[in-house]
Amino acid sequence: MTHIPISVTVDGTVYDVEVEPRRLLVHFLREDIGRVGTVVGCDTSNCGACTVLLDGKSVKSCSVLAVQADGHAVLTVQGLAEGEHKWHPVQEAFKECHGLQCGYCTPGMVMAAVDLLQENPNPSEEEIREGLEGNLCRCTGYHNIVKSVEYAAELMGGKS
Amino acid sequence: MTETLTDANANPVGRPLRRKEDARLLHGQTNWTDNIQLPGTLHMAILRSPMAHARITNLDVTPALKRPHVVAAFTAKDLGDLNGSVPCVWPVTDDIQMPGFPALAVDKVRHVGDCVAVVLATDKYAAADALDAIEVDYEPLPAVIDMEAAIKQGSTAVHDAADGSHGTNVCYEFPLKPQGDGAFDAAVKAAGDDVVVVKRRFINQRVIAGYMEPRAVVASPMGMSNEMTIWSATQIPHVLRVLLALVTGLPENSLRVIAPDVGGGFGGKLQLYREEILAVQIARHLGRPVKWTETRSEDMVASHHGRDQIQDIEIASTKDGQIIGLKVDLIANMGAYLQIITPGIPLLGMFMYPAIYKMPAYEFNCVGVFTNTTPTDAIRGAGRPEATYAIERIMDELAAELDMDPMQLREKNWITHEEFPYTTVAGLTYDTGNYEAATAKAMDLFGYDALRAEQEQRRASGDPVQLGIGISTFTEMCGLAPSRTLGALKYVAGGWEHCTIRALPTGKIELITGTSPHGQGHETAWSQIAASILGVPVDDIEVVHSDTGRAPYGMDTYGSRSLAVGGQAIKKAAERLVEKAKVIAAHQLECSVDDLEFIQGAFRVKGDPAKSQPLAAVAFEAFTAHNLPDGVEPTLQAEATVDPDDFSYPHGTHLCAIEVDTETGKSKIRSYVAVDDVGIQVNPLIVEGQVHGGLACGIGQALYEGVEYDSDGNLLTASFADYLIPSAADLPSFTTDRTVTPSSTNPLGTKGVGEAGAIASPPAIINAIVDALRPMGVTDVKMPATPENVWRAIQAGQGGAQ
C-alpha cells in the first residue's frame, strides 16, 4: 500500500514519518513513534482511552487518521507535565483524589478532563459527568474521577 | 487534603496514603503488554467462527500465505499436537462431563468467536488483512442457546456422542442438602398452618468483565537461558506458568511469565486463554516472538462471560416472619466449553444463599448446562452476586407477602452480633460481623424514614414519578481460600500465598509478593503493612510482583484474596525478618536478644536508649558478614507461605432510593448508601475506591448491562456500542462509610473488599425499582432494568401482556 509522508508534532517534538493512508493516529503514536502512553480500549470509539489533544482540542485518536494530523500538534498524557516535577493540576488532582486504579483509562480520562476544564473552568458535578461521558472507566465508578476534576478546577483557580 | 506521615511513630496501617503507583500511570510511563515490541515479532491474527454451531467442511489457509508480510498460517490440523487443549481445573463432581477445548477448533465450531485459524505476519494490519484470504466453509448445525431447551431430552448436543461426550448438554448436577433431601418440604409441613411460602424465578443475566485494557500476550522464545518469556495481560501469572507447562509440555522451569501493567481484570483475566496457548506454541514452533492483542470486538466473543443463571428459589417463613427454610434450584450456563473454573462458579455461591439469616432448612441444587455460547467463568463476585441477588430479592418478596417492612423482616432473621462465631445452615462458620451496626449507620446516612414518608406522599398523589427504596443486607465469603477446603470441593489448586522480604545492604526493603495487582494498589498497601512492622518509611519499600522470574511463588489475585491471604504472608515474613535481625543486632550491641526491643525501625537496649542499631545497619552487617554470630547465615531476608484458616466474611448494608418514571420506565438513582464492614482497613482510600468500583459494576448489571444472543447464537451485544458499560453520566455519586468488625480468621483482622460492591448492589437497585412499582402490581423487573424492561413490567403488572 502507498505510504504518505506526514509531519506531526507530538508532545513538542516533530516527527516526519511515512504512513499508510488508513493508519490510525493512535497506532501512529504507539507503534510508529513509540508514544505508548496513549492506549486503545475499544474499536467503536466508545471508551475514550485513546483521547489526546489535537491542536488543543480533545479527539479520540482511534477515530482520527494519522494523515489527518499532518501539520498539526498532538498533546498526549506523556507531554502534559512540564518536566518531572511540575505536574499538570489534573494529574495532581487525580492522584490526590484517587481518581485512578488500574490506570488504563487514565491517559484518555486526564486529557478529556483537561479539555473539559479549558471549556468550562468551573463545572458542576453534572457538567463533569456529562463532559466525561465519552470516556469509560471500569475501576472507579467515576466517583473519585468527578472529585478529581472538581479538585483540579480548584487548583487551576476556576472553582470559587 | 494530602495525608503525609510527619510523625515518625505513626503506624502507616489505616492511613489513606496516596498511591505509589499513580505517578507513572498519570504520566503515561506504563508498561502494558501491547507496548512490548520485540525485534522479529510476528503479529497473530485469528479467524473466528461467525456461526454458533457448525461443521467445518473446508478450510484452506494457503491463500493467506501469499499475502504481503505473511510468514505463516495454521489450522488445527497444521498445528497437530501443538494445538493444546484449554484446561479446566475444577471438575466439581466425579461424573462431570469435561469435553475437550482445542485452542483451534477441530472439525466443528461451537460458539461465535471460536478460533478457526491463525495468520502470522510481520505487520499487524497485514495479519488482519490476510484473514480475508482464508478459504473456509461451514455446514450449519442447530444452535443450542436456551438453557432449558438445552437440557431437554432430544436437544442437539453441543458436544455430541461422536465427540466422545455423554451426548447430553448436562455438564454436571451438584446438590447440597445439609439437612437431607426434602428438608425444605419437611420444614414447611412441620409448620402446619403457620407458614407462608414464596416462590420466584429470577434471571441473573450474562455479563462481561469489561476491563478497559483488552487482553494481550507476547511469547518470546529468545529469553535468557533458553527460557520462554511470556508477557500477558493476566491476573494470574503464577497459575498461568503452571498451566502453560502442563498444556504445552514445556518444562515449567524454562517458562517465565510476566504480567506487566494490567489494565483491570474483574475476573475476566483469571483464565488460561486459548490465545495464550496459541502464542506460546507458535512462538516455540517458529522460534520467533509472537504477539497478539485482541480488539474489543474479539473480546466480546472470545473472553469469558459471567453469571447467566436461571434461579428458582423458594422461601418459607412463619406468618410472623421467622424463616423456616430455603430451597434453591439453579440452571447455570457453562457456555460451549469449560474454562479454568467454569463449573465451580455457581458453587462459589452455593453456601451464600442463606446469607446473613438463621434458618433450620436449606436445599440447593445446580445443573450446569452447555450451550453454543461463549464460555462463562469468574466475573467480579463469581457466584456470590447471583446468590445475594436471589436471597435479597426474595426477602423483599416475602416481606411484601407478609405485609412487613423489609428491613424489619431482615432484622428478625439475621444473626445478631452476640451470636458470632455462627455456623450457618449451609455449613459455613462466620467468624465475626455486626449487621446491626452497619444497618444503623446506613439507615442514618440514608434518611430511611423521611424517604418512606415521601414514598407515601407520591403514592397518595398518584405522582407519575414514583419513589422506591431498595435494601441489600449482604455478606459474602471471600479470601480464597483454605487449601483443604478447596481440595474438598475438588478444586485442583491450593489457596495459599507467599511473601519474601529482603533488607538490602543499602537500607532499602524489597517485598516480593505472590499477589498480582491490576489496579488494586498493592504496591502502596503492602508497603504500609511492612512499614508498620519494620519501622521503615513506606517509600523505602519496593514491592515486587507479577513476574515469576522475580517473584517465583504465588497464587495471584482474585476472589478478594490478596489482602486477606497475601497480607498474612507479608506480616509473617516481616516479623520473621525482625526476629533474624534481632539476633545480629544483639551480637552487634553485645547484649542478649531478650534485652532488645524493636522500636521505630531500630533495635534498642532496654533501659539504655543510647545503645541502638537501626535495621539498615543490621542489614549491612548481614551483607558484609564480617562479624555475624556463630550459626547465623549471611543476608537478611525472611519468607512466609500462609494458608488461611478460613474464608473472610465481609458484610454490609446497602440502601438505594430510585425514582421511576411510570410513564417511560426510566429509573434514576436518587441516592445510594453503602456501609461496608471489611474489617481492619490498611488504606481507607483504596478501600473506598474498591467499593465505588464494585458498586458501578453491580449497578451496571442491574440497570444497563446484559449479553444478548439471538436464537441462532449470534451475539447481539458484540461491541461497546451495543453493550452498555455505564459512563460517568449514567451513575450517581455514592455515600459510603464503614463499620469495623475485625476478622478473626487472619492476624491483620482484614476482610476482602474487591467484590463487595458488585455483590451487594444489584438487589438493592432492583428491590428499589420493584418497591416503587409494587402498588402497580409489579413483583419483579428483569435485569438490566432498562426503561423498556421496566415499562413492560408495569404493563404486565397492570394486566397487559409483557
Side-chain angles (χ1 to χ4, degrees):
Chain A
M1 200 173 284
T2 325
H3 283 60
I4 294 175
I6 59 170
S7 179
V8 186
T9 305
V10 179
D11 298 332
T13 302
V14 179
Y15 294 87
D16 293 305
V17 182
E18 292 197 348
V19 296
E20 283 184 44
R22 63 175 175 171
R23 191 125 184 106
L24 301 177
L25 177 58
V26 68
H27 289 148
F28 161 77
L29 291 172
R30 290 182 54 77
E31 286 160 29
D32 296 339
I33 65 167
R35 300 300 278 177
V36 290
T38 300
V39 297
V40 180
C42 74
D43 48 11
T44 47
S45 72
N46 286 90
C47 81
C50 63
T51 304
V52 297
L53 301 190
L54 183 63
D55 293 339
K57 292 281 183 192
S58 71
V59 295
K60 292 181 176 176
S61 60
C62 73
S63 305
V64 175
L65 296 169
V67 291
Q68 291 177 289
D70 183 26
H72 296 277
V74 174
L75 183 69
T76 78
V77 75
Q78 287 175 272
L80 194 57
E82 290 172 37
E84 204 176 313
H85 299 293
K86 184 133 178 22
W87 293 24
H88 189 282
V90 170
Q91 291 170 311
E92 273 185 54
F94 268 70
K95 175 166 185 178
E96 181 59 31
C97 301
H98 190 28
L100 67 156
Q101 290 181 28
C102 81
Y104 198 80
C105 76
T106 306
M109 197 66 83
V110 164
M111 298 314 286
V114 167
D115 191 40
L116 171 69
L117 291 171
Q118 277 172 187
E119 299 270 323
N120 180 357
N122 191 12
S124 66
E125 177 183 339
E126 198 182 338
E127 286 167 340
I128 294 169
R129 289 185 176 278
E130 293 292 336
L132 296 179
E133 194 180 23
N135 290 73
L136 298 178
C137 168
R138 192 61 152 178
C139 293
T140 64
Y142 307 102
H143 182 105
N144 285 345
I145 289 176
V146 172
K147 296 267 175 264
S148 301
V149 178
E150 286 174 343
Y151 185 50
E154 200 180 311
L155 291 176
M156 293 164 79
K159 203 88 179 173
S160 46
Chain B
M1 290 171 80
T2 305
E3 168 93 6
T4 47
L5 278 176
T6 48
D7 179 359
N9 292 319
N11 182 351
V13 166
R15 291 178 167 254
L17 298 189
R18 273 46 182 180
R19 301 196 320 166
K20 292 177 162 192
E21 290 86 344
D22 292 353
R24 252 177 1 91
L25 297 171
L26 280 163
H27 290 76
Q29 302 301 322
T30 40
N31 190 24
W32 314 109
T33 300
D34 185 58
N35 294 7
I36 296 166
Q37 299 202 41
L38 300 175
T41 292
L42 295 175
H43 297 268
M44 181 167 78
I46 301 172
L47 181 73
R48 296 182 182 276
S49 171
M51 301 200 146
H53 197 193
R55 199 178 306 282
I56 302 169
T57 54
N58 173 43
L59 178 59
D60 184 4
V61 294
T62 49
L65 293 170
K66 298 184 184 107
R67 292 294 186 94
H69 309 295
V70 172
V71 171
F74 301 102
T75 65
K77 278 200 185 77
D78 300 330
L79 287 180
D81 290 344
L82 288 175
N83 190 31
S85 188
V86 180
C88 170
V89 303
W90 202 346
V92 295
T93 59
D94 290 333
D95 60 351
I96 183 173
Q97 190 176 186
M98 298 186 76
F101 181 3
L104 287 180
V106 178
D107 300 330
K108 268 188 198 173
V109 289
R110 293 186 178 83
H111 71 92
V112 169
D114 217 346
C115 299
V116 175
V118 291
V119 170
L120 286 300
T122 52
D123 175 84
K124 185 164 86 172
Y125 284 29
D129 288 345
L131 294 179
D132 288 343
I134 296 173
E135 288 175 6
V136 58
D137 295 307
Y138 301 98
E139 176 197 330
L141 297 167
V144 181
I145 304 301
D146 180 84
M147 280 193 277
E148 287 184 295
I151 52 180
K152 282 199 179 121
Q153 281 287 331
S155 166
T156 300
V158 175
H159 301 272
D160 63 24
D163 305 326
S165 84
H166 302 179
T168 152
N169 291 315
V170 173
C171 171
Y172 70 88
E173 181 166 355
F174 195 109
L176 177 73
K177 313 262 180 184
Q179 291 76 43
D181 202 10
F184 178 82
D185 285 344
V188 170
K189 201 171 166 195
D193 288 341
D194 184 22
V195 66
V196 172
V197 178
V198 175
K199 186 172 183 180
R200 288 284 186 274
R201 165 167 284 201
F202 298 126
I203 307 295
N204 209 282
Q205 86 274 28
R206 184 180 278 241
V207 296
I208 66 159
Y211 36 74
M212 282 297 123
E213 181 207 21
R215 288 190 292 122
V217 58
V218 176
S220 172
M222 298 188 288
M224 305 290 284
S225 321
N226 294 322
E227 72 187 6
M228 167 87 82
T229 305
I230 299 131
W231 291 266
S232 183
T234 182
Q235 294 173 228
I236 53 164
H238 297 92
V239 173
L240 204 66
R241 182 179 186 230
V242 177
L243 290 177
L244 278 173
L246 290 170
V247 168
T248 64
L250 289 165
E252 187 185 349
N253 52 12
S254 74
L255 296 179
R256 178 180 179 191
V257 178
I258 301 168
D261 287 335
V262 176
F266 315 107
K269 293 173 182 169
L270 160 52
Q271 194 57 268
L272 169 57
Y273 279 105
R274 52 198 138 176
E275 296 89 354
E276 291 167 321
I277 297 172
L278 289 169
V280 168
Q281 295 287 61
I282 293 170
R284 167 195 194 182
H285 181 59
L286 298 177
R288 292 176 68 167
V290 169
K291 177 174 178 177
W292 173 78
T293 301
E294 68 179 357
T295 64
R296 180 59 64 179
S297 300
E298 275 187 294
D299 181 77
M300 302 302 284
V301 293
S303 302
H304 71 243
H305 298 166
R307 320 274 193 258
D308 207 354
Q309 294 181 359
I310 297 172
Q311 308 175 310
D312 286 314
I313 179 165
E314 218 171 338
I315 194 166
S317 80
T318 59
K319 286 177 178 167
D320 66 354
Q322 202 71 51
I323 300 171
I324 56 176
L326 183 70
K327 188 164 182 258
V328 176
D329 279 296
L330 298 186
I331 307 177
N333 203 337
M334 306 287 102
Y337 303 101
L338 301 181
Q339 294 226 214
I340 190 167
I341 52 171
T342 301
I345 299 303
L347 308 185
L348 286 171
M350 166 171 77
F351 298 105
M352 296 317 299
Y353 285 85
I356 65 169
Y357 308 113
K358 295 175 282 189
M359 63 188 76
Y362 173 53
E363 288 185 67
F364 171 93
N365 193 63
C366 177
V367 175
V369 54
F370 289 112
T371 58
N372 291 115
T373 59
T374 295
T376 62
D377 209 313
I379 285 180
R380 204 169 193 169
R384 291 151 291 154
E386 297 93 312
T388 301
Y389 182 73
I391 183 67
E392 288 303 294
R393 277 289 296 115
I394 206 158
M395 286 300 282
D396 262 34
E397 296 306 303
L398 177 62
E401 192 70 27
L402 296 166
D403 199 21
M404 263 178 96
D405 178 275
M407 189 58 93
Q408 280 175 4
L409 177 67
R410 286 168 169 84
E411 284 169 4
K412 191 176 176 79
N413 287 283
W414 71 37
I415 302 155
T416 63
H417 71 276
E418 303 95 345
E419 292 175 290
F420 289 91
Y422 184 88
T423 300
T424 74
V425 69
L428 295 176
T429 301
Y430 299 165
D431 60 332
T432 60
N434 191 333
Y435 310 139
E436 301 96 311
T439 300
K441 196 173 231 182
M443 296 283 265
D444 186 40
L445 290 167
F446 188 64
Y448 188 83
D449 294 336
L451 284 163
R452 280 281 179 223
E454 184 186 332
Q455 180 182 50
E456 277 312 307
Q457 276 171 10
R458 288 191 190 230
R459 281 180 182 173
S461 68
D463 193 327
V465 178
Q466 288 290 308
L467 180 69
I469 294 169
I471 300 170
S472 175
T473 48
F474 83 105
T475 188
E476 56 143 332
M477 54 182 266
C478 65
L480 300 174
S483 296
R484 284 181 184 173
T485 306
L486 293 175
L489 290 168
K490 297 183 185 293
Y491 184 74
V492 175
W496 48 267
E497 198 43 82
H498 178 86
C499 179
T500 298
I501 300 181
R502 297 189 178 126
L504 304 176
T506 52
K508 300 290 182 186
I509 302 292
E510 190 170 72
L511 189 163
I512 300 163
T513 178
T515 66
S516 190
H518 34 280
Q520 296 88 342
H522 292 180
E523 291 174 21
T524 304
W526 289 190
S527 298
Q528 289 177 252
I529 296 170
S532 76
I533 297 165
L534 301 176
V536 299
V538 166
D539 287 341
D540 278 353
I541 299 171
E542 183 71 22
V543 175
V544 176
H545 59 81
S546 309
D547 175 352
T548 64
R550 290 191 73 197
Y553 304 110
M555 290 303 293
D556 305 317
T557 288
Y558 43 85
S560 305
R561 70 185 305 274
S562 297
L563 175 58
V565 187
Q568 297 184 51
I570 297 166
K571 183 172 193 288
K572 202 172 217 173
E575 287 168 351
R576 283 178 176 168
L577 185 113
V578 171
E579 284 312 302
K580 179 173 180 187
K582 202 176 210 176
V583 176
I584 301 169
H587 186 70
Q588 288 174 301
L589 293 165
E590 296 174 336
C591 66
S592 146
V593 166
D594 296 335
D595 292 337
L596 285 180
E597 52 190 2
F598 186 59
I599 297 170
Q600 291 176 42
F603 294 95
R604 293 184 198 166
V605 177
K606 288 175 194 164
D608 187 1
K611 288 186 76 179
S612 83
Q613 191 73 321
L615 185 65
V618 179
F620 194 74
E621 185 65 55
F623 167 70
T624 65
H626 294 168
N627 184 25
L628 292 178
D630 290 342
V632 172
E633 291 177 8
T635 76
L636 184 52
Q637 60 179 336
E639 60 176 59
T641 305
V642 169
D643 205 322
D645 295 334
D646 202 343
F647 297 97
S648 95
Y649 300 98
H651 69 83
T653 295
H654 289 212
L655 299 171
C656 177
I658 292 191
E659 290 174 4
V660 185
D661 186 327
T662 59
E663 291 170 347
T664 65
K666 187 167 170 51
S667 305
K668 182 168 181 266
I669 298 175
R670 184 146 115 205
S671 65
Y672 195 104
V673 172
V675 175
D676 286 272
D677 194 322
V678 297
I680 300 294
Q681 301 169 75
V682 173
N683 184 322
L685 189 75
I686 292 175
V687 166
E688 184 125 333
Q690 289 290 313
V691 171
H692 291 157
L695 292 178
C697 180
I699 294 171
Q701 177 172 13
L703 290 180
Y704 304 113
E705 299 178 37
V707 171
E708 286 180 38
Y709 287 95
D710 70 11
S711 57
D712 293 327
N714 295 304
L715 181 62
L716 301 176
T717 48
S719 75
F720 274 0
D722 300 303
Y723 184 97
L724 205 169
I725 300 270
S727 76
D730 300 315
L731 293 170
S733 283
F734 309 112
T735 304
T736 55
D737 207 339
R738 254 83 59 202
T739 53
V740 178
T741 313
S743 168
S744 63
T745 65
N746 69 80
L748 288 168
T750 61
K751 306 173 189 176
V753 65
E755 297 163 295
I759 291 169
S761 56
I765 300 286
I766 301 300
N767 279 342
I769 296 173
V770 173
D771 183 55
L773 303 176
R774 202 176 288 281
M776 306 176 82
V778 172
T779 57
D780 196 22
V781 173
K782 255 172 62 179
M783 291 196 291
T786 57
E788 180 183 344
N789 282 342
V790 171
W791 187 85
R792 284 183 189 280
I794 293 168
Q795 303 312 305
Q798 294 182 324
Q802 215 182 111

